[in-house]
């Protein structure tokens, strides 16, 4: 009975805490509703905040019942995960960092602790300490769950945005009959170069392009990996019967590439997009000439 | 004179003679044995009919493996030895990506977007000068 070590190993403290949570559900929820975390999120009415608090207390009681006070993956938490995410998101929108939200969650402990101490005045100090520790661990786990939820929300946001970036950043432009160009902007990683390759090859088929220009003016740095991606794209386009020209290699990048010993080998390169277009037009047998000086253009 | 239409057995790829060019159209899945046989048939057909060009249309091929990639390269090489230029036409984007990922960039192979473009390419007198992208000496 006199157990000072908290945790799920012994049935008593966790079940005591569960009983306490169930008994005092109403009071705890009432007090939590006054805490900034609940008060600022559920602004519509106090009842709403109290209801939300009750939901959290119920979840905690279920977790304590299952003897899983230290387990953030406990089944009991799944019911409040969405609510915690919403609360976390609301606090983040208000400009709070994750750390601040976490300390607001920590502020839920003292009210519950006070209630626990107040109601168990006949309990022995050892028992009280064990229950208190268990409650503390339980709330710590709740904090962890909230943080986990917030982090996974952030991660999914990043994933979504990365996907959007892939879609946005790779337009294929038709410059002339039979000539398409892709202006590459930003760092080329393998995922992006894959998308670039696919969209370029599809454009080659759709537009019946004999020439494809890869313009790397917007690529900040070229290392061996980027060069390899470029070579792959060029090779794939060549296999389909289109000729690739790489343009927009800035002087600094040209220097770097030579220093690194990168060999673009058989790839045709031109300094600017205009040069590349001129080259392709020449190969297509199309010539652009200035209007005759005595023509209609000027007089 | 059309070639190889004697017996359209299963796994046999017809080789059509069009003037100075032999046209081969590959369709669907290609078994290794079929590809191997095509390689032999083509070598014989080139030697017999003394054509100057071979067009292999692979627009109907959705899956290639490293073996077929190698066979294509070998066909091109052997045709070159027999003084015929080989053009692979109509490769699908997915196929091109696969070959590149397999490391088979097939450097010596001529390619064209469509069969029509391939015929145009072969109609041109000699191999167009393929400059290696502004290769000069030092500064």
């Amino acid at each position: 009975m006199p157990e000072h070590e908290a945790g799920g190993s012994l049935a008593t403290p966790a079940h005591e805490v569960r009983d306490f949570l169930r008994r005092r559900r109403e009071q705890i929820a009432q007090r939590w509703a006054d805490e900034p975390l609940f008060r600022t999120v559920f602004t519509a009415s106090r009842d709403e905040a109290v209801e939300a608090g009750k939901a959290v207390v119920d979840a905690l009681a279920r977790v304590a019942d299952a003897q899983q006070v230290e387990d953030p993956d406990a089944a009991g938490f799944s019911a409040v995960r969405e609510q915690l995410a919403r609360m976390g998101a609301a606090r983040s929108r208000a400009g709070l960092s994750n750390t601040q939200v976490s300390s607001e969650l920590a502020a839920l402990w003292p009210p519950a602790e006070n209630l626990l101490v107040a109601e168990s005045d006949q309990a022995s100090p050892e028992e009280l300490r064990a229950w208190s520790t268990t409650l503390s661990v339980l709330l710590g786990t709740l904090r962890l769950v909230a943080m986990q939820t917030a982090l996974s929300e952030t991660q999914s946001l990043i994933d979504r945005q990365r996907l959007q970036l892939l879609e946005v950043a790779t337009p294929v432009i038709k410059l002339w009959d039979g000539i398409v160009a892709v202006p590459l902007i930003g760092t080329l990683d393998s995922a992006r170069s894959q998308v670039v390759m696919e969209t370029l090859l599809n454009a080659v088929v759709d537009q019946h392009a004999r020439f494809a220009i890869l313009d790397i003016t917007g690529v900040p740095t070229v290392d061996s990996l980027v060069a390899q991606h470029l070579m792959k794209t060029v090779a794939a386009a060549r296999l389909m019967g289109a000729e690739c020209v790489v343009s927009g290699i800035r002087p600094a990048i040209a220097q770097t590439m030579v220093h690194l010993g990168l060999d673009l080998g058989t790839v045709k390169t031109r300094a600017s997009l205009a040069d590349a277009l001129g080259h392709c037009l020449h190969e297509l047998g199309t010539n652009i000439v200035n209007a005759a000086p005595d023509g209609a253009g000027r007089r | 004179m059309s070639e190889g239409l004697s017996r359209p057995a299963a796994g046999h790829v017809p080789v059509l003679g069009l003037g100075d060019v032999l046209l081969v159209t590959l369709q669907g899945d290609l078994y290794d044995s079929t590809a191997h046989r095509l390689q032999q048939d083509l070598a014989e057909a080139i030697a017999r009919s003394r054509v100057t060009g071979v067009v292999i249309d692979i627009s109907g091929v959705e899956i290639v493996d490293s073996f077929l990639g190698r066979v294509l390269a070998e066909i091109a090489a052997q045709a070159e030895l027999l003084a015929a230029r080989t053009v692979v036409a109509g490769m699908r984007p997915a196929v091109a990506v696969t070959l590149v990922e397999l490391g088979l960039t097939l450097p010596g192979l001529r390619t064209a977007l469509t069969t029509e473009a391939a015929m145009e390419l072969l109609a041109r007198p000699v191999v167009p000068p393929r400059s290696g992208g502004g290769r000069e000496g030092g500064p």
Side-chain angles (χ1 to χ4, degrees):
Chain A
M1 220 45 160
E3 193 53 56
H4 56 267
E5 203 55 50
S9 55
L10 268 168
T12 329
H15 281 162
E16 286 292 341
V17 167
R18 174 200 63 191
D19 294 339
F20 158 71
L21 284 171
R22 286 189 178 155
R23 248 185 345 263
R24 302 283 171 177
R25 176 168 175 262
E26 185 70 36
Q27 281 118 309
I28 296 176
Q30 287 287 350
R31 294 201 186 187
W32 280 359
D34 293 329
E35 290 296 324
L37 184 64
F38 282 90
R39 202 182 59 223
T40 51
V41 173
F42 301 96
T43 46
S45 72
R46 204 185 126 82
D47 289 343
E48 200 187 359
V50 174
E51 280 308 312
K54 279 181 193 166
V56 175
V57 176
D58 288 343
L60 290 177
R62 266 198 302 281
V63 173
D65 183 43
Q67 300 282 351
Q68 290 173 305
V69 285
E70 287 177 9
D71 182 10
D73 297 324
F77 283 125
S78 56
V80 285
R81 230 170 246 278
E82 195 190 333
Q83 189 191 324
L84 287 172
R86 223 172 50 236
M87 286 160 68
R91 296 311 279 153
S92 306
R93 268 201 300 282
L96 269 74
S97 72
N98 275 348
T99 324
Q100 285 166 308
V101 177
S102 175
S103 56
E104 284 196 352
L105 271 163
L108 298 183
W109 183 60
E113 166 77 355
N114 290 343
L115 274 174
L116 179 69
V117 173
E119 82 155 17
S120 41
D121 41 2
Q122 324 81 330
S124 73
E126 285 86 6
E127 277 175 321
L128 187 57
R129 197 180 323 129
W131 299 342
S132 167
T133 315
T134 309
L135 184 65
S136 164
V137 170
L138 189 57
L139 280 166
T141 313
L142 177 73
R143 237 167 113 181
L144 199 61
V145 170
M147 284 301 106
Q148 257 182 1
T149 318
L151 284 180
S152 68
E153 288 278 304
T154 318
Q155 189 58 45
S156 67
L157 180 73
I158 292 173
D159 288 345
R160 265 204 313 280
Q161 286 182 341
R162 187 180 294 151
L163 219 60
Q164 282 171 353
L165 203 63
L166 284 180
E167 289 163 3
V168 166
T170 51
V172 179
I173 302 160
K174 180 178 177 182
L175 288 182
W176 205 267
D177 266 345
I179 305 177
V180 292
V182 191
L184 295 173
I185 292 165
T187 315
L188 270 186
D189 55 13
S190 32
R192 274 199 63 197
S193 69
Q194 191 74 28
V195 173
V196 169
M197 198 195 277
E198 275 165 25
T199 48
L200 178 68
L201 297 187
N202 285 325
V204 164
V205 172
D206 292 345
Q207 319 250 6
H208 293 284
R210 268 191 56 199
F211 291 93
I213 301 173
L214 283 168
D215 186 75
I216 59 166
T217 312
V219 178
T221 52
V222 173
D223 55 11
S224 54
L225 207 66
V226 173
Q228 204 193 349
H229 290 321
L230 284 176
M231 299 280 282
K232 273 188 182 173
T233 311
V234 171
R238 200 191 64 81
L239 278 176
M240 288 183 51
E243 191 181 319
C244 251
V245 182
V246 176
S247 74
I249 301 177
R250 273 171 282 139
I253 288 185
Q255 262 185 332
T256 323
M257 286 168 80
V258 172
H259 278 307
L260 288 172
L262 301 177
D263 184 18
L264 282 189
T266 53
V267 180
K268 277 212 172 74
T269 50
R270 289 294 182 273
S272 67
L273 186 60
D275 288 342
L277 179 61
H279 164 77
C280 297
L281 287 173
H282 178 74
E283 292 276 303
L284 279 175
T286 311
N287 279 318
I288 296 182
V289 292
N290 290 329
D294 53 345
R298 43 180 91 225
R299 55 188 85 146
Chain B
M1 205 186 277
S2 292
E3 306 284 341
L5 288 174
S6 49
R7 235 185 317 137
H12 184 90
V13 181
V15 180
L16 310 174
L18 291 172
D20 275 349
V21 176
L22 289 179
L23 176 62
V24 182
T25 308
L26 302 186
Q27 293 276 339
D29 293 343
L30 205 65
Y31 296 107
D32 287 1
S33 56
T34 320
H36 201 70
R37 183 150 168 215
L38 171 67
Q39 195 177 345
Q40 289 177 348
D41 288 355
L42 261 179
E44 283 165 22
I46 294 168
R48 205 176 332 128
S49 55
R50 296 194 298 196
V51 292
T52 55
V54 177
V55 175
I56 305 176
D57 186 315
I58 59 166
S59 57
V61 177
E62 293 186 34
I63 299 165
V64 286
D65 53 11
S66 52
F67 181 76
L68 186 55
R70 215 190 72 204
V71 166
L72 287 177
E74 282 178 6
I75 288 175
Q78 74 191 19
E80 203 75 35
L81 285 176
L82 298 167
R85 288 178 288 166
T86 306
V87 183
V88 172
M91 191 182 288
R92 289 176 179 233
V95 171
V97 172
T98 311
L99 280 180
V100 170
E101 292 298 333
L102 286 172
L104 286 169
T105 53
L106 308 178
L109 198 65
R110 283 179 200 81
T111 48
L113 208 58
T114 56
T115 309
E116 201 182 341
M119 300 298 263
E120 259 172 48
L121 183 69
L122 289 174
R124 272 186 247 162
V126 207
V127 189
R130 282 193 164 237
S131 65
R135 225 182 266 176
E136 308 138 333

